[in-house]
Each structure stands twice: as structure tokens, then as C-alpha cells.
Amino acid sequence: MKEMSSTMPSGQQPQKHYGITSAISLAPPREIDHQYTDKLCDAMKPFGVFEDEDELNHRLAVLGKLNNFVKEWIAEISELKNLPPSAISCVGGKIFTFGSYRLGVHTKGADIDALCVAPRHVERSDFFQSFFEKLKQHEEIKDLRAVEDAFVPVIKFKFDGIEIDLLFARLALQSIPDNLDLRGDSILRNLDIRCIRSLNGCRVTDEILYLVPNKENFRLTLRAIKLWAKRRGIYSNMLGFLGGVSWAMLVARTCQLYPNAVAATLVHKFFLVFSKW
């Protein structure tokens, strides 16, 4: 799903195209397409695929608290490891989200996939011991459990009613700035395989969002396709069907092939393209 541009004849501006082939159609949406897209939204509403403003704000507040929590914990660990005060004040630490929440297609009551990114002096064992203990002391946190020997190790908990799966990655950096971008491959150098796996979710999600022509059209289309797949019982990695990331990639590719289309058209084209491929 790489991003490319092709040159146009007679000195026109190059037409940016997404993916490794040019678009199938650059046609803009017609009035009827917008109407169908509105109808598509209305048809999805009864299935609880859209969160209201209050729920969205609640999630943002919980993630904000968790982010502060991580920064606090990393500063405490840094102090224990005798880092100088000047270094402790800027060690940072950050929570990144990935999966359906980061893509902006999560449904009501869905869990949040998140990643705790720490600087190089914070060990994985610190995360599963001292951070786990710190979470345990917090009254808003319930159902806390650690799955340390999983393929991708995780701490699972409910924070003020929202389920969170928290992974851990330790980067080869002295500090973690707030504006850190995980997309560059250079950050993977000299990392433990478990950290690379933990980073994968965020990197794939960010890459998908970067490579679609219009994020809103992509999100609405993906919501529709996910709902369709779930209603038909074919949305599950564990049962041998496609999981969330796979459906997202298929929808992203459809968006690349029809960069100017709106969601109603994209849903139609999705089935057209993949029934033929």
C-alpha cells in the first residue's frame, strides 16, 4: 500500500496515487452517492457502531490519566536507578493507542488497545512488576491481570469502566518525547523481539491511516464492512477468518483504488474488487 505519484501529460500537476498501482477511478461522488452514504449511516446506528460525545470524552479522559500515570511511574523508576535529577525531569514516556480505537472505528463499549513506550533504562520486568503494583493501588482500576508469557505480553485491566489491553515497548532512547513518531524503521534497531511485536500494532495502524486518501471515508466504510462481517460470523482471527487489521487493509486498498469515492460507493466497490480478485 505504498504511496506514489505519476506524472501527467502536457506539464500538468502530477496526480498523486496511492498504492503500487494507479486508481481504478478518480470519479468524484455524485449527489446520490452522498444521499446513499447518509442512508448507510442511518442503517448502522441501531447496531451501536457509533459512540456518542460523552463516551468519546470519557475514553480520552481515561487515556489522559493513564498517560500521566506512565510518566509518573517512569520518573519514579528513573529515580530508583539513580538517574540525575536533570535527566529525570525529561525522561518522558508515552501511551500510544492502536487497533480499532486508533483507526477511529471502535464500537460502543469496545476495549482500547494501547502501548506503553519507555526509555532504555526501564526494563520489561519493571513494567510487569512495579507498574503492575502501581496499577493495583489505583482504586479506579479493576480486573487487573498480567499475561507475561504471551506471544505479545500484555497487562489487561478495566480503568473507570473501560477495558484496556496494555503492551510494553522499551526503545533504545534516553527519553521518550511527546511528539515521538513510531512509523520510522530506525526505532526498531537493537530492540528485543517482544518490543518489536508490541510496536507492530501501532506501526501498522499509523501506516494504514497515512496511506488512505481520505480518513473519514475510510472510517465509515470500514465500520460498515466490520458490521457486515460480524453479523455474518466471519470476523475472527482466532477462528481462522480475517481479523480487524486484515479487514482494515482490504478497505484501505479499496479506498486507494477509488480515492474520491464516498463510503456508500466504497462499500459497493469493496465487494466488487474482492469478489474478482
Side-chain angles (χ1 to χ4, degrees):
M1 289 197 306
K2 292 223 164 66
E3 184 187 2
M4 304 166 76
S5 39
S6 55
T7 46
M8 299 282 278
S10 68
Q12 287 172 319
Q13 275 299 300
Q15 167 66 46
K16 178 176 176 181
H17 74 245
Y18 294 81
I20 54 171
T21 61
S22 52
I24 291 173
S25 167
L26 296 171
R30 302 160 301 170
E31 184 51 41
I32 188 82
D33 299 326
H34 289 296
Q35 289 168 19
Y36 281 144
T37 299
D38 292 341
K39 284 183 178 174
L40 178 68
C41 283
D42 292 341
M44 288 197 284
K45 275 174 190 160
F47 296 97
V49 297
F50 301 108
E51 263 192 333
D52 58 35
E53 205 64 28
D54 289 350
E55 284 180 77
L56 279 170
N57 290 337
H58 180 49
R59 282 178 190 268
L60 287 173
V62 163
L63 285 167
K65 282 185 199 169
L66 190 58
N67 199 44
N68 292 337
F69 217 51
V70 161
K71 283 182 164 41
E72 217 175 88
W73 165 66
I74 290 174
E76 287 162 12
I77 284 278
S78 306
E79 208 171 324
L80 284 173
K81 299 197 175 185
N82 300 322
L83 260 73
S86 59
I88 292 171
S89 63
C90 58
V91 282
K94 191 166 187 252
I95 289 284
F96 289 86
T97 59
F98 61 101
S100 62
Y101 177 78
R102 173 74 180 95
L103 285 174
V105 296
H106 60 288
T107 52
K108 281 186 183 183
D111 62 354
I112 296 180
D113 295 303
L115 168 71
C116 166
V117 174
R120 63 188 179 201
H121 61 275
V122 179
E123 303 283 339
R124 180 170 288 275
S125 56
D126 296 325
F127 177 72
F128 281 100
Q129 285 157 23
S130 68
F131 188 66
F132 187 82
E133 285 306 314
K134 191 174 169 71
L135 289 174
K136 220 186 237 178
Q137 308 307 317
H138 206 292
E139 64 209 17
E140 286 182 290
I141 289 176
K142 308 268 189 294
D143 301 343
L144 181 66
R145 59 208 185 278
V147 193
E148 205 173 340
D149 52 1
F151 184 69
V152 183
V154 61
I155 292 180
K156 293 169 171 277
F157 53 93
K158 261 190 183 166
F159 193 148
D160 196 6
I162 290 174
E163 282 189 47
I164 295 179
D165 285 2
L166 187 61
L167 311 181
F168 175 80
R170 166 192 181 218
L171 301 187
L173 302 171
Q174 279 177 304
S175 64
I176 303 298
D178 274 343
N179 62 352
L180 180 68
D181 182 2
L182 298 177
R183 278 181 50 241
D185 290 347
S186 59
I187 63 157
L188 298 179
R189 269 189 216 125
N190 309 322
L191 290 197
D192 166 38
I193 184 66
R194 290 167 302 180
C195 290
I196 292 175
R197 284 186 199 131
S198 299
L199 284 162
N200 267 348
C202 288
R203 286 166 50 79
V204 168
T205 309
D206 287 358
E207 197 65 24
I208 289 172
L209 286 173
Y210 178 73
L211 290 171
V212 292
N214 179 305
K215 291 182 182 61
E216 282 317 302
N217 292 340
F218 163 73
R219 286 183 175 122
L220 194 50
T221 309
L222 182 53
R223 281 184 188 278
I225 297 301
K226 279 172 68 131
L227 178 61
W228 167 81
K230 283 176 179 174
R231 298 283 296 171
R232 275 154 185 75
I234 55 169
Y235 183 103
S236 170
N237 229 338
M238 280 161 63
L239 297 177
F241 298 107
L242 299 178
V245 175
S246 307
W247 290 113
M249 287 166 77
L250 294 179
V251 170
R253 186 67 188 119
T254 311
C255 292
Q256 291 183 335
L257 294 171
Y258 299 90
N260 300 320
V262 288
T265 311
L266 288 165
V267 169
H268 172 69
K269 299 298 187 188
F270 176 90
F271 292 107
L272 181 77
V273 167
F274 293 111
S275 63
K276 296 270 186 284
W277 278 16

mmCIF file of all heavy atoms in Angstrom, residues 155-182:
data_model
loop_
_atom_site.group_PDB
_atom_site.id
_atom_site.type_symbol
_atom_site.label_atom_id
_atom_site.label_comp_id
_atom_site.label_asym_id
_atom_site.label_seq_id
_atom_site.Cartn_x
_atom_site.Cartn_y
_atom_site.Cartn_z
ATOM 1 N N ILE A 155 -0.669 -6.430 29.886
ATOM 2 C CA ILE A 155 -1.392 -6.253 31.154
ATOM 3 C C ILE A 155 -2.813 -5.829 30.777
ATOM 4 O O ILE A 155 -2.996 -4.882 30.002
ATOM 5 C CB ILE A 155 -0.741 -5.174 32.042
ATOM 6 C CG1 ILE A 155 0.634 -5.638 32.542
ATOM 7 C CG2 ILE A 155 -1.631 -4.858 33.249
ATOM 8 C CD1 ILE A 155 1.360 -4.612 33.429
ATOM 9 N N LYS A 156 -3.800 -6.553 31.303
ATOM 10 C CA LYS A 156 -5.209 -6.256 30.996
ATOM 11 C C LYS A 156 -5.885 -5.698 32.241
ATOM 12 O O LYS A 156 -5.644 -6.200 33.335
ATOM 13 C CB LYS A 156 -5.952 -7.536 30.579
ATOM 14 C CG LYS A 156 -5.496 -8.124 29.251
ATOM 15 C CD LYS A 156 -6.093 -9.525 29.062
ATOM 16 C CE LYS A 156 -5.853 -10.043 27.668
ATOM 17 N NZ LYS A 156 -6.844 -9.563 26.672
ATOM 18 N N PHE A 157 -6.726 -4.693 32.074
ATOM 19 C CA PHE A 157 -7.459 -4.146 33.222
ATOM 20 C C PHE A 157 -8.634 -3.290 32.739
ATOM 21 O O PHE A 157 -8.737 -2.969 31.552
ATOM 22 C CB PHE A 157 -6.540 -3.303 34.111
ATOM 23 C CG PHE A 157 -5.777 -2.224 33.384
ATOM 24 C CD1 PHE A 157 -6.274 -0.931 33.290
ATOM 25 C CD2 PHE A 157 -4.547 -2.502 32.797
ATOM 26 C CE1 PHE A 157 -5.567 0.061 32.627
ATOM 27 C CE2 PHE A 157 -3.830 -1.512 32.124
ATOM 28 C CZ PHE A 157 -4.346 -0.227 32.042
ATOM 29 N N LYS A 158 -9.499 -2.959 33.688
ATOM 30 C CA LYS A 158 -10.588 -2.015 33.437
ATOM 31 C C LYS A 158 -10.256 -0.737 34.172
ATOM 32 O O LYS A 158 -10.010 -0.765 35.372
ATOM 33 C CB LYS A 158 -11.902 -2.582 33.976
ATOM 34 C CG LYS A 158 -12.768 -3.217 32.936
ATOM 35 C CD LYS A 158 -14.137 -3.529 33.505
ATOM 36 C CE LYS A 158 -14.960 -4.234 32.427
ATOM 37 N NZ LYS A 158 -16.149 -4.855 32.973
ATOM 38 N N PHE A 159 -10.225 0.369 33.463
ATOM 39 C CA PHE A 159 -9.919 1.668 34.073
ATOM 40 C C PHE A 159 -11.197 2.508 33.993
ATOM 41 O O PHE A 159 -11.609 2.905 32.914
ATOM 42 C CB PHE A 159 -8.788 2.339 33.285
ATOM 43 C CG PHE A 159 -8.158 3.525 33.967
ATOM 44 C CD1 PHE A 159 -6.810 3.813 33.767
ATOM 45 C CD2 PHE A 159 -8.894 4.367 34.803
ATOM 46 C CE1 PHE A 159 -6.218 4.917 34.378
ATOM 47 C CE2 PHE A 159 -8.312 5.458 35.419
ATOM 48 C CZ PHE A 159 -6.968 5.735 35.199
ATOM 49 N N ASP A 160 -11.823 2.738 35.146
ATOM 50 C CA ASP A 160 -13.066 3.506 35.206
ATOM 51 C C ASP A 160 -14.090 2.973 34.190
ATOM 52 O O ASP A 160 -14.728 3.733 33.463
ATOM 53 C CB ASP A 160 -12.755 4.992 34.933
ATOM 54 C CG ASP A 160 -13.902 5.907 35.353
ATOM 55 O OD1 ASP A 160 -14.875 5.401 35.951
ATOM 56 O OD2 ASP A 160 -13.848 7.111 35.057
ATOM 57 N N GLY A 161 -14.195 1.637 34.131
ATOM 58 C CA GLY A 161 -15.205 1.001 33.283
ATOM 59 C C GLY A 161 -14.777 0.713 31.858
ATOM 60 O O GLY A 161 -15.504 0.072 31.103
ATOM 61 N N ILE A 162 -13.592 1.191 31.457
ATOM 62 C CA ILE A 162 -13.130 0.947 30.081
ATOM 63 C C ILE A 162 -12.045 -0.131 30.083
ATOM 64 O O ILE A 162 -11.051 -0.026 30.814
ATOM 65 C CB ILE A 162 -12.596 2.242 29.440
ATOM 66 C CG1 ILE A 162 -13.780 3.178 29.186
ATOM 67 C CG2 ILE A 162 -11.861 1.962 28.135
ATOM 68 C CD1 ILE A 162 -13.414 4.532 28.694
ATOM 69 N N GLU A 163 -12.256 -1.164 29.270
ATOM 70 C CA GLU A 163 -11.278 -2.250 29.210
ATOM 71 C C GLU A 163 -10.062 -1.825 28.396
ATOM 72 O O GLU A 163 -10.198 -1.289 27.296
ATOM 73 C CB GLU A 163 -11.917 -3.492 28.573
ATOM 74 C CG GLU A 163 -12.817 -4.234 29.542
ATOM 75 C CD GLU A 163 -13.268 -5.575 28.979
ATOM 76 O OE1 GLU A 163 -12.421 -6.315 28.459
ATOM 77 O OE2 GLU A 163 -14.478 -5.844 29.056
ATOM 78 N N ILE A 164 -8.894 -2.088 28.948
ATOM 79 C CA ILE A 164 -7.648 -1.708 28.268
ATOM 80 C C ILE A 164 -6.698 -2.898 28.238
ATOM 81 O O ILE A 164 -6.508 -3.590 29.241
ATOM 82 C CB ILE A 164 -6.984 -0.503 28.985
ATOM 83 C CG1 ILE A 164 -7.898 0.726 28.860
ATOM 84 C CG2 ILE A 164 -5.604 -0.205 28.402
ATOM 85 C CD1 ILE A 164 -7.409 1.969 29.532
ATOM 86 N N ASP A 165 -6.123 -3.147 27.066
ATOM 87 C CA ASP A 165 -5.037 -4.116 26.904
ATOM 88 C C ASP A 165 -3.769 -3.306 26.692
ATOM 89 O O ASP A 165 -3.643 -2.612 25.675
ATOM 90 C CB ASP A 165 -5.266 -5.011 25.671
ATOM 91 C CG ASP A 165 -6.333 -6.066 25.919
ATOM 92 O OD1 ASP A 165 -6.911 -6.065 27.017
ATOM 93 O OD2 ASP A 165 -6.590 -6.877 25.008
ATOM 94 N N LEU A 166 -2.849 -3.369 27.654
ATOM 95 C CA LEU A 166 -1.655 -2.515 27.592
ATOM 96 C C LEU A 166 -0.398 -3.336 27.331
ATOM 97 O O LEU A 166 -0.036 -4.207 28.116
ATOM 98 C CB LEU A 166 -1.531 -1.726 28.903
ATOM 99 C CG LEU A 166 -0.440 -0.667 28.971
ATOM 100 C CD1 LEU A 166 -0.647 0.426 27.924
ATOM 101 C CD2 LEU A 166 -0.387 -0.029 30.361
ATOM 102 N N LEU A 167 0.261 -3.033 26.210
ATOM 103 C CA LEU A 167 1.532 -3.682 25.859
ATOM 104 C C LEU A 167 2.686 -2.777 26.297
ATOM 105 O O LEU A 167 2.474 -1.619 26.664
ATOM 106 C CB LEU A 167 1.622 -3.905 24.342
ATOM 107 C CG LEU A 167 0.426 -4.556 23.640
ATOM 108 C CD1 LEU A 167 0.712 -4.718 22.154
ATOM 109 C CD2 LEU A 167 0.103 -5.901 24.258
ATOM 110 N N PHE A 168 3.901 -3.312 26.193
ATOM 111 C CA PHE A 168 5.070 -2.543 26.622
ATOM 112 C C PHE A 168 6.177 -2.615 25.571
ATOM 113 O O PHE A 168 6.442 -3.674 25.005
ATOM 114 C CB PHE A 168 5.609 -3.108 27.943
ATOM 115 C CG PHE A 168 6.889 -2.457 28.400
ATOM 116 C CD1 PHE A 168 6.866 -1.231 29.051
ATOM 117 C CD2 PHE A 168 8.119 -3.065 28.177
ATOM 118 C CE1 PHE A 168 8.052 -0.624 29.474
ATOM 119 C CE2 PHE A 168 9.311 -2.467 28.593
ATOM 120 C CZ PHE A 168 9.272 -1.243 29.252
ATOM 121 N N ALA A 169 6.811 -1.479 25.311
ATOM 122 C CA ALA A 169 7.997 -1.466 24.438
ATOM 123 C C ALA A 169 9.029 -0.520 25.031
ATOM 124 O O ALA A 169 8.708 0.600 25.436
ATOM 125 C CB ALA A 169 7.630 -1.029 23.032
ATOM 126 N N ARG A 170 10.249 -1.018 25.068
ATOM 127 C CA ARG A 170 11.375 -0.223 25.587
ATOM 128 C C ARG A 170 12.229 0.151 24.376
ATOM 129 O O ARG A 170 12.727 -0.724 23.667
ATOM 130 C CB ARG A 170 12.136 -1.126 26.549
ATOM 131 C CG ARG A 170 13.485 -0.665 26.950
ATOM 132 C CD ARG A 170 14.174 -1.833 27.656
ATOM 133 N NE ARG A 170 15.494 -1.475 28.105
ATOM 134 C CZ ARG A 170 16.528 -2.297 28.063
ATOM 135 N NH1 ARG A 170 16.375 -3.522 27.592
ATOM 136 N NH2 ARG A 170 17.697 -1.896 28.495
ATOM 137 N N LEU A 171 12.370 1.442 24.120
ATOM 138 C CA LEU A 171 13.138 1.895 22.955
ATOM 139 C C LEU A 171 14.581 2.199 23.356
ATOM 140 O O LEU A 171 14.868 2.460 24.516
ATOM 141 C CB LEU A 171 12.495 3.145 22.345
ATOM 142 C CG LEU A 171 11.047 3.008 21.858
ATOM 143 C CD1 LEU A 171 10.623 4.274 21.125
ATOM 144 C CD2 LEU A 171 10.877 1.798 20.942
ATOM 145 N N ALA A 172 15.451 2.200 22.368
ATOM 146 C CA ALA A 172 16.872 2.466 22.638
ATOM 147 C C ALA A 172 17.130 3.971 22.702
ATOM 148 O O ALA A 172 18.074 4.487 22.125
ATOM 149 C CB ALA A 172 17.716 1.823 21.539
ATOM 150 N N LEU A 173 16.269 4.687 23.417
ATOM 151 C CA LEU A 173 16.384 6.145 23.531
ATOM 152 C C LEU A 173 16.537 6.529 25.002
ATOM 153 O O LEU A 173 16.023 5.838 25.871
ATOM 154 C CB LEU A 173 15.117 6.820 22.979
ATOM 155 C CG LEU A 173 14.727 6.549 21.522
ATOM 156 C CD1 LEU A 173 13.348 7.115 21.223
ATOM 157 C CD2 LEU A 173 15.754 7.146 20.567
ATOM 158 N N GLN A 174 17.203 7.654 25.237
ATOM 159 C CA GLN A 174 17.380 8.116 26.628
ATOM 160 C C GLN A 174 16.087 8.666 27.191
ATOM 161 O O GLN A 174 15.830 8.590 28.383
ATOM 162 C CB GLN A 174 18.451 9.215 26.660
ATOM 163 C CG GLN A 174 19.860 8.657 26.649
ATOM 164 C CD GLN A 174 20.868 9.792 26.619
ATOM 165 O OE1 GLN A 174 20.826 10.642 25.739
ATOM 166 N NE2 GLN A 174 21.780 9.802 27.566
ATOM 167 N N SER A 175 15.278 9.268 26.311
ATOM 168 C CA SER A 175 13.993 9.819 26.752
ATOM 169 C C SER A 175 12.959 9.634 25.644
ATOM 170 O O SER A 175 13.311 9.448 24.485
ATOM 171 C CB SER A 175 14.150 11.305 27.093
ATOM 172 O OG SER A 175 14.500 12.008 25.925
ATOM 173 N N ILE A 176 11.687 9.682 26.036
ATOM 174 C CA ILE A 176 10.593 9.492 25.079
ATOM 175 C C ILE A 176 9.861 10.817 24.924
ATOM 176 O O ILE A 176 9.089 11.216 25.804
ATOM 177 C CB ILE A 176 9.609 8.395 25.575
ATOM 178 C CG1 ILE A 176 10.335 7.069 25.831
ATOM 179 C CG2 ILE A 176 8.455 8.222 24.585
ATOM 180 C CD1 ILE A 176 10.989 6.432 24.611
ATOM 181 N N PRO A 177 10.085 11.532 23.809
ATOM 182 C CA PRO A 177 9.411 12.823 23.627
ATOM 183 C C PRO A 177 7.919 12.636 23.325
ATOM 184 O O PRO A 177 7.510 11.591 22.815
ATOM 185 C CB PRO A 177 10.137 13.435 22.420
ATOM 186 C CG PRO A 177 10.703 12.264 21.674
ATOM 187 C CD PRO A 177 10.965 11.190 22.680
ATOM 188 N N ASP A 178 7.129 13.648 23.629
ATOM 189 C CA ASP A 178 5.676 13.563 23.394
ATOM 190 C C ASP A 178 5.323 13.491 21.912
ATOM 191 O O ASP A 178 4.263 12.996 21.542
ATOM 192 C CB ASP A 178 4.958 14.760 24.028
ATOM 193 C CG ASP A 178 4.624 14.490 25.494
ATOM 194 O OD1 ASP A 178 4.653 13.304 25.889
ATOM 195 O OD2 ASP A 178 4.356 15.449 26.243
ATOM 196 N N ASN A 179 6.220 14.010 21.061
ATOM 197 C CA ASN A 179 5.915 14.020 19.620
ATOM 198 C C ASN A 179 6.559 12.842 18.877
ATOM 199 O O ASN A 179 6.746 12.881 17.665
ATOM 200 C CB ASN A 179 6.364 15.346 18.992
ATOM 201 C CG ASN A 179 7.876 15.535 19.116
ATOM 202 O OD1 ASN A 179 8.558 14.749 19.794
ATOM 203 N ND2 ASN A 179 8.401 16.561 18.485
ATOM 204 N N LEU A 180 6.904 11.795 19.609
ATOM 205 C CA LEU A 180 7.573 10.637 19.000
ATOM 206 C C LEU A 180 6.701 10.006 17.912
ATOM 207 O O LEU A 180 5.516 9.783 18.103
ATOM 208 C CB LEU A 180 7.868 9.595 20.088
ATOM 209 C CG LEU A 180 8.566 8.310 19.630
ATOM 210 C CD1 LEU A 180 9.988 8.590 19.183
ATOM 211 C CD2 LEU A 180 8.582 7.284 20.760
ATOM 212 N N ASP A 181 7.309 9.735 16.752
ATOM 213 C CA ASP A 181 6.616 9.060 15.653
ATOM 214 C C ASP A 181 7.168 7.648 15.561
ATOM 215 O O ASP A 181 8.375 7.447 15.426
ATOM 216 C CB ASP A 181 6.883 9.830 14.344
ATOM 217 C CG ASP A 181 6.162 9.215 13.147
ATOM 218 O OD1 ASP A 181 5.418 8.226 13.323
ATOM 219 O OD2 ASP A 181 6.345 9.735 12.023
ATOM 220 N N LEU A 182 6.284 6.665 15.644
ATOM 221 C CA LEU A 182 6.742 5.264 15.639
ATOM 222 C C LEU A 182 6.859 4.681 14.232
ATOM 223 O O LEU A 182 7.239 3.531 14.068
ATOM 224 C CB LEU A 182 5.759 4.398 16.448
ATOM 225 C CG LEU A 182 5.609 4.730 17.938
ATOM 226 C CD1 LEU A 182 4.555 3.835 18.572
ATOM 227 C CD2 LEU A 182 6.938 4.579 18.668
#
